[in-house]
Amino acid sequence: MVRTPLTPEERERGERLGRLLREARGGRSMTEVAAVAGISAETLRKIETGRAPTPAFFTVAALARALGLSMDDLVERCALVPV
C-alpha cells in the first residue's frame, strides 16, 4: 500500500506537535519521557524533530499523559492551519 504524501500544512502541524512536546519535556531526558509513555526514545526523537509528523493517536495520548498535557490543548495548538 502506498501512502499519500503529506501536504505542507500536515508537515507544519507535525513540526508544531514536536515543538510542543519538546517544550513540555523541559529538562527531562528523552529516554525518561519515552519510558514513561511506553515508546522508544527514537520514536520520541522522530516526533520531536518532525521526522514522524503523523504519529499514531495512542502514541500522542501516551506522550500527553507522560508530560501532563491535555489532549484538547494539543489538538487546539496543533490544528491544521494553511501555510
Side-chain angles (χ1 to χ4, degrees):
M1 176 178 210
V2 176
R3 188 172 186 179
T4 306
L6 298 175
T7 65
E9 292 84 6
E10 290 168 326
R11 282 194 228 308
E12 171 58 29
R13 182 177 54 195
E15 289 170 6
R16 271 197 309 275
L17 174 63
R19 281 192 300 272
L20 286 169
L21 295 175
R22 198 168 38 253
E23 289 169 10
R25 185 166 54 84
R28 297 195 302 184
S29 75
M30 228 180 243
T31 305
E32 175 189 344
V33 171
V36 171
I39 64 171
S40 72
E42 181 59 23
T43 297
L44 179 54
R45 182 177 294 109
K46 286 178 181 177
I47 295 168
E48 283 189 0
T49 60
R51 288 181 35 227
T54 58
F57 172 80
F58 290 104
T59 299
V60 175
L63 285 167
R65 182 179 40 81
L67 294 168
L69 300 171
S70 86
M71 288 296 286
D72 288 336
D73 188 41
L74 281 179
V75 167
E76 217 174 274
R77 295 175 67 188
C78 293
L80 194 59
V81 177
V83 174

